[in-house]
Amino acid sequence: MDSSLGNSELILNPDGSIYHLNLHPGDIAHTIITVGDQNRVHEVSKYFDSIEVKKSKREFVTHTGYCSGKRITVISTGIGTDNIDIVFNELDALVNIDFTSRQIKSEKKQLNFIRVGTSGSLQADIPVDSFLMSAAGIGFDNLMHFYDSTDIRNTELESHLTNYLSWDDYHIHPYVVDFDEKLGEVMRSNRIRLGITGTNSGFYGPQGRVLRLQPAIPDFNEKLAGFTYKNLKITNLEMETAAMYGIAKLHGHRAISLNAIIANRATSEFSKDGKKTIDELIQYTLECIVKS
């Protein structure tokens, strides 16, 4: 029986690169920094000693190079869990599928994913311009429900949260995936606090923002901020972490999400110099990678 992947499943460009990312096997390192904004790729790679790969297609920009002897890739994912589904599946394919035979390799390679992104705090005591690592990602979208993902999810936290929220009438069924603790230890310091991150499918209504449209759940942020699990609170909201943790863990990769807090939703504050905060988080991340 032919076990090769069909042309409609593993889609390659005429030059043999993977469909959306426009990358070939060998173009990526085993340590991958993900950023949302394509312009932020350069803000990371400017600290590299050398860059050997520069490729782009759509919102996906990739630079691979060396920083103090460590080979690192930085790639922009764009915004949202739908893009994470594309990027993480295609990055896995680059190392774990033979593009010539179109077959899954028997020996799998493990990638390390480190998200460097921005986020808004839900807790008044988490100030703008601080750093936060996501111990778990709560997905309020549906991505993980399209995969056989029960074994990699934190179903205990899911159950506690579902009972606490009582949001069945809103058709919200959150999934929860934990970070990789070993990779997290590499990035830990007194500067990084730990929290639970909420991931949703939009920036306005799905994060409780009100401009002209009224949200279906008026106390969305307040309800999330009041939840506690094993001394951890839901600390922040963004749009990628839960999906990133889920897809990475399903493939056997390691992932953590580092957040530059540029807004505080509880106090209505916004960073006056968010670019500086993000740059400091980038430098912090690279320093931790190089030392590991």
Side-chain angles (χ1 to χ4, degrees):
M1 182 177 176
D2 185 6
S3 60
S4 62
L5 297 166
N7 292 336
S8 64
E9 309 309 299
L10 174 64
I11 306 174
L12 302 179
N13 297 312
D15 67 352
S17 62
I18 195 77
Y19 186 54
H20 294 94
L21 303 185
N22 199 37
L23 297 173
H24 290 89
D27 282 345
I28 61 170
H30 287 178
T31 296
I32 300 174
I33 296 172
T34 70
V35 296
D37 185 352
Q38 57 190 330
N39 294 320
R40 198 174 296 150
V41 171
H42 169 72
E43 297 305 311
V44 177
S45 68
K46 71 182 182 182
Y47 292 111
F48 290 2
D49 301 315
S50 62
I51 300 174
E52 61 184 28
V53 176
K54 280 189 176 183
K55 292 187 177 180
S56 64
K57 185 179 180 184
R58 305 188 189 196
E59 63 265 58
F60 309 119
V61 176
T62 305
H63 291 180
T64 296
Y66 287 86
C67 183
S68 297
K70 294 272 188 173
R71 191 169 188 251
I72 301 171
T73 291
V74 55
I75 185 169
S76 59
T77 64
I79 298 174
T81 59
D82 52 342
N83 276 13
I84 293 296
D85 183 61
I86 292 170
V87 173
F88 277 55
N89 274 295
E90 293 195 2
L91 288 172
D92 174 78
L94 287 168
V95 296
N96 289 320
I97 297 176
D98 186 314
F99 282 13
T100 302
S101 67
R102 308 182 70 86
Q103 293 186 339
I104 298 171
K105 296 177 180 179
S106 57
E107 292 187 15
K108 308 297 189 298
K109 292 182 179 178
Q110 185 181 67
L111 301 173
N112 294 323
F113 294 107
I114 303 167
R115 173 184 178 269
V116 176
T118 59
S119 187
S121 168
L122 294 176
Q123 305 291 340
D125 64 345
I126 300 179
V128 295
D129 302 318
S130 60
F131 298 163
L132 183 141
M133 184 187 300
S134 306
I138 299 172
F140 294 102
D141 64 318
N142 291 318
L143 182 60
M144 279 301 102
H145 299 310
F146 286 93
Y147 292 97
D148 183 6
S149 61
T150 303
D151 290 345
I152 58 95
R153 286 165 27 203
N154 186 334
T155 54
E156 179 182 313
L157 198 163
E158 284 181 13
S159 179
H160 282 284
L161 180 64
T162 298
N163 291 336
Y164 166 79
L165 294 174
S166 299
W167 281 354
D168 285 347
D169 289 345
Y170 299 112
H171 308 291
I172 294 176
H173 305 285
Y175 61 85
V176 180
V177 186
D178 294 331
F179 74 154
D180 185 273
E181 292 188 26
K182 289 185 178 179
L183 188 56
E185 283 302 314
V186 173
M187 313 304 294
R188 288 292 296 273
S189 77
N190 292 333
R191 188 167 185 185
I192 298 270
R193 67 176 69 206
L194 208 60
I196 300 173
T197 295
T199 297
N200 217 337
S201 54
F203 186 76
Y204 290 97
Q207 292 190 38
R209 286 186 172 87
V210 180
L211 298 182
R212 293 202 322 117
L213 301 180
Q214 293 301 310
I217 310 174
D219 61 345
F220 184 81
N221 289 354
E222 292 79 6
K223 188 76 170 178
L224 294 183
F227 178 75
T228 302
Y229 174 79
K230 294 185 177 179
N231 296 320
L232 287 177
K233 292 181 176 293
I234 300 177
T235 47
N236 59 311
L237 276 173
E238 48 75 84
M239 297 176 63
E240 290 88 32
T241 294
M244 173 181 169
Y245 284 4
I247 298 295
K249 191 161 285 190
L250 282 173
H251 279 132
H253 302 308
R254 306 195 302 174
I256 59 166
S257 177
L258 304 180
N259 303 268
I261 301 298
I262 61 170
N264 188 300
R265 303 296 302 286
T267 62
S268 298
E269 294 177 87
F270 195 83
S271 173
K272 295 178 180 178
D273 197 355
K275 187 174 181 179
K276 178 175 180 290
T277 301
I278 295 165
D279 182 65
E280 289 176 354
L281 181 58
I282 289 169
Q283 293 187 64
Y284 175 88
T285 302
L286 290 172
E287 288 170 4
C288 290
I289 292 172
V290 167
K291 290 177 182 177
S292 65

